Amino acid sequence: MDGTSQVRALITPERIDVAALIETVGSTADGALTVFIGRVRDTNEGRRVTGLTYEAYEEMAQSVLEEIIEETERAYEVGHIAAVHRTGQLELGEIAVAVAVAAPHRAAAYEASRSVIEEIKVRLPIWKFESYADGVAEWQRQ
Amino acid sequence: MDGTSQVRALITPERIDVAALIETVGSTADGALTVFIGRVRDTNEGRRVTGLTYEAYEEMAQSVLEEIIEETERAYEVGHIAAVHRTGQLELGEIAVAVAVAAPHRAAAYEASRSVIEEIKVRLPIWKFESYADGVAEWQRQ
Amino acid sequence: MPDTETRPGPDIVRPTTVVSVRFFARYRDLAGISACEVELAEGATVGDLIAQLRADHRLESLPPNPFVAVNRDYADFGQLLTSGDEVALIPPVSGG
Amino acid sequence: MPDTETRPGPDIVRPTTVVSVRFFARYRDLAGISACEVELAEGATVGDLIAQLRADHRLESLPPNPFVAVNRDYADFGQLLTSGDEVALIPPVSGG
């Protein structure tokens, strides 16, 4: 709410820098800050994952992510929200998505964070293609 | 759950390193990671805060924080939890407390994080002494 | 009313709407292409476009009711299309 | 009043319990000290200790029912004390 215009929504093939994301939302008016980080797991429904690629409809994903952030900032008593989603090929353990929320109080920081990630899972036009140790590779449904 | 014995509970006068805390709980089995960060706000109930000191019953705070982490790891489907609380004199915007939770799925990561911070607020023998712009300085109740 | 009478031709020539269509992820694999241009009758809706696509035997494996975005906003099947629209077929998303 | 002298014989030498007491934050400010040693009758409880402390006019501003920890665990007023115990008076906490 301080008029600065840092990047708050980002779809990127670059590695996600959580410390930089936290900086984006920082303000001494907001005592509570939550960060959600989604990383590439080594298993999915019992199958060993060996590799993962995210494909995005990039232009739309960018604007949908901005919408999600703006809607959530309006719906909760929060300061700033920033979110970033990775695209391309990821290694096990790498960060696929990160959401940072700063708020005056912790309840709103948790609730808004959860809301952003749920909306991302429902609306963001991004698709996960997973390869497994058993040789199969598939597009994932949420 | 991998047998490593990194420091998972810490009461410290040193600045809190969030990136290091996240490293502590990292595992490729856990796709979801939440971080809660509590920072020194510039106002409290309408009064301008100018300075803040946390006093701890350090030996007890250390063991209570370990208990909270162990209880929460048992109560939720999570991997590792780590938490750190700062003591001594803090500047506005500095991190007072941070909690990191890694879990296979995001619901548990959020719930366990929230549970740890609520328990910290209720049980951890640490006291906040705030100074205000109006000249008054007071021990805070939660 | 548009100038339908001025054009020659054996069939009745009507004005058309030309949209670009993009296919992503599993739908791109099903379609075998990532994008194409489609000519529709004027006044065609998203639903008309989907039906016309699926009438092509190369695209018949596309689902009958996919999520669709028009110009990067989710749209329903009743939405009218106009020339130059970018229509995307959106498989179930799996980000996050 | 709360002198805990309910046991026989004012001059009989009885075994005693010596505990260390720590005061934190606001209670330290109220007490004017951060720690002291207290001698109690054998079999004394946490409640007895608190009553004995508050009977000292220098400590009478301490609340009658503070949270207490014995050897770094929260304890209730009925808990028996033994020599060497570390007892802490815990004001309402405000961490986080």
Side-chain angles (χ1 to χ4, degrees):
Chain A
M1 312 288 180
D2 56 9
T4 61
S5 59
Q6 288 175 291
V7 175
R8 299 187 302 148
L10 188 63
I11 309 297
T12 178
E14 310 283 325
R15 289 186 72 139
I16 293 175
D17 180 343
V18 173
L21 190 76
I22 292 174
E23 285 295 311
T24 309
V25 298
S27 151
T28 54
D30 296 315
L33 199 155
T34 53
V35 185
F36 176 84
I37 297 168
R39 296 184 298 183
V40 181
R41 292 176 68 197
D42 55 11
T43 53
N44 189 0
E45 293 174 5
R47 297 162 82 181
R48 265 183 65 79
V49 175
T50 53
L52 192 145
T53 302
Y54 281 102
E55 175 180 333
Y57 180 8
E58 287 194 27
E59 307 90 327
M60 180 174 169
Q62 177 69 38
S63 69
V64 168
L65 191 53
E66 286 167 9
E67 269 172 35
I68 290 171
I69 288 172
E70 283 159 19
E71 289 172 13
T72 311
E73 284 183 348
R74 279 197 297 272
Y76 295 87
E77 296 224 356
V78 297
H80 290 292
I81 299 177
V84 55
H85 201 297
R86 177 88 179 268
T87 56
Q89 203 173 333
L90 277 74
E91 308 284 320
L92 297 189
E94 278 198 299
I95 299 176
V97 61
V99 178
V101 178
H105 300 289
R106 66 187 180 281
Y110 277 104
E111 288 159 15
S113 173
R114 186 79 194 265
S115 176
V116 168
I117 190 70
E118 298 301 333
E119 289 298 315
I120 283 174
K121 297 250 176 195
V122 170
R123 293 160 59 183
L124 200 65
I126 290 189
W127 301 274
K128 179 160 68 172
F129 188 79
E130 261 179 10
S131 307
Y132 305 100
D134 60 20
V136 180
E138 287 177 350
W139 289 107
Q140 298 300 300
R141 283 160 175 268
Q142 174 201 331
Chain B
M1 312 288 180
D2 54 9
T4 60
S5 59
Q6 289 174 290
V7 175
R8 298 187 301 151
L10 187 63
I11 309 297
T12 178
E14 310 283 327
R15 289 187 71 141
I16 293 175
D17 181 342
V18 172
L21 190 76
I22 292 174
E23 284 295 311
T24 309
V25 298
S27 152
T28 54
D30 295 316
L33 198 154
T34 53
V35 184
F36 176 84
I37 297 168
R39 296 184 297 184
V40 180
R41 292 175 66 197
D42 55 11
T43 55
N44 189 2
E45 293 174 4
R47 296 163 82 181
R48 264 184 65 80
V49 175
T50 53
L52 190 146
T53 303
Y54 281 102
E55 176 180 331
Y57 179 7
E58 287 194 27
E59 309 90 326
M60 180 173 168
Q62 176 69 38
S63 68
V64 168
L65 192 53
E66 286 166 9
E67 270 172 34
I68 290 171
I69 287 172
E70 283 159 18
E71 290 172 14
T72 311
E73 284 182 350
R74 279 196 298 272
Y76 295 88
E77 297 225 355
V78 297
H80 291 292
I81 299 177
V84 55
H85 202 297
R86 178 87 178 270
T87 56
Q89 203 174 331
L90 277 74
E91 308 285 320
L92 296 189
E94 278 197 299
I95 300 175
V97 61
V99 178
V101 178
H105 300 290
R106 66 187 180 282
Y110 277 103
E111 288 160 15
S113 173
R114 186 79 195 264
S115 176
V116 168
I117 191 69
E118 298 300 334
E119 289 298 314
I120 284 173
K121 297 253 176 194
V122 170
R123 294 159 58 182
L124 199 66
I126 289 189
W127 302 273
K128 179 160 68 172
F129 188 78
E130 262 180 8
S131 307
Y132 305 100
D134 60 19
V136 181
E138 287 177 351
W139 289 107
Q140 299 301 300
R141 284 159 174 268
Q142 174 203 329
Chain C
M1 272 293 159
D3 56 341
T4 51
E5 273 71 37
T6 63
R7 296 206 183 147
D11 298 324
I12 299 172
V13 176
R14 285 159 298 145
T16 58
T17 298
V18 178
V19 300
S20 63
V21 180
R22 297 178 68 177
F23 303 92
F24 288 95
R26 198 169 67 86
Y27 294 168
R28 187 190 55 241
D29 292 352
L30 290 176
I33 50 172
S34 60
C36 63
E37 297 246 305
V38 176
E39 193 175 327
L40 299 157
E42 196 175 67
T45 63
V46 167
D48 295 332
L49 168 64
I50 301 301
Q52 186 169 325
L53 287 170
R54 295 184 74 243
D56 184 320
H57 71 278
R58 294 166 300 183
L59 300 177
E60 65 193 5
S61 58
L62 288 172
N65 293 299
F67 285 101
V68 172
V70 175
N71 300 329
R72 302 165 191 179
D73 275 324
Y74 286 104
D76 61 36
F77 271 36
Q79 183 164 329
L80 288 175
L81 294 171
T82 55
S83 277
D85 280 349
E86 176 176 293
V87 182
L89 271 64
I90 309 278
V93 301
S94 49
Chain D
M1 268 328 268
D3 210 341
T4 66
E5 296 301 293
T6 52
R7 293 191 178 81
D11 300 322
I12 298 172
V13 176
R14 287 160 294 142
T16 56
T17 297
V18 179
V19 300
S20 62
V21 180
R22 298 179 68 177
F23 303 91
F24 288 95
R26 198 168 67 87
Y27 293 169
R28 187 190 54 243
D29 291 352
L30 291 175
I33 50 172
S34 61
C36 64
E37 298 246 304
V38 176
E39 194 175 325
L40 299 157
E42 196 174 66
T45 63
V46 167
D48 295 331
L49 169 64
I50 300 302
Q52 186 168 323
L53 287 170
R54 295 184 73 241
D56 183 321
H57 71 278
R58 295 166 299 183
L59 300 176
E60 64 194 6
S61 58
L62 288 172
N65 293 300
F67 284 101
V68 173
V70 176
N71 300 328
R72 302 165 190 177
D73 275 324
Y74 285 104
D76 61 37
F77 271 36
Q79 183 164 328
L80 289 174
L81 294 170
T82 55
S83 278
D85 281 350
E86 176 177 293
V87 182
L89 271 64
I90 309 278
V93 302
S94 50

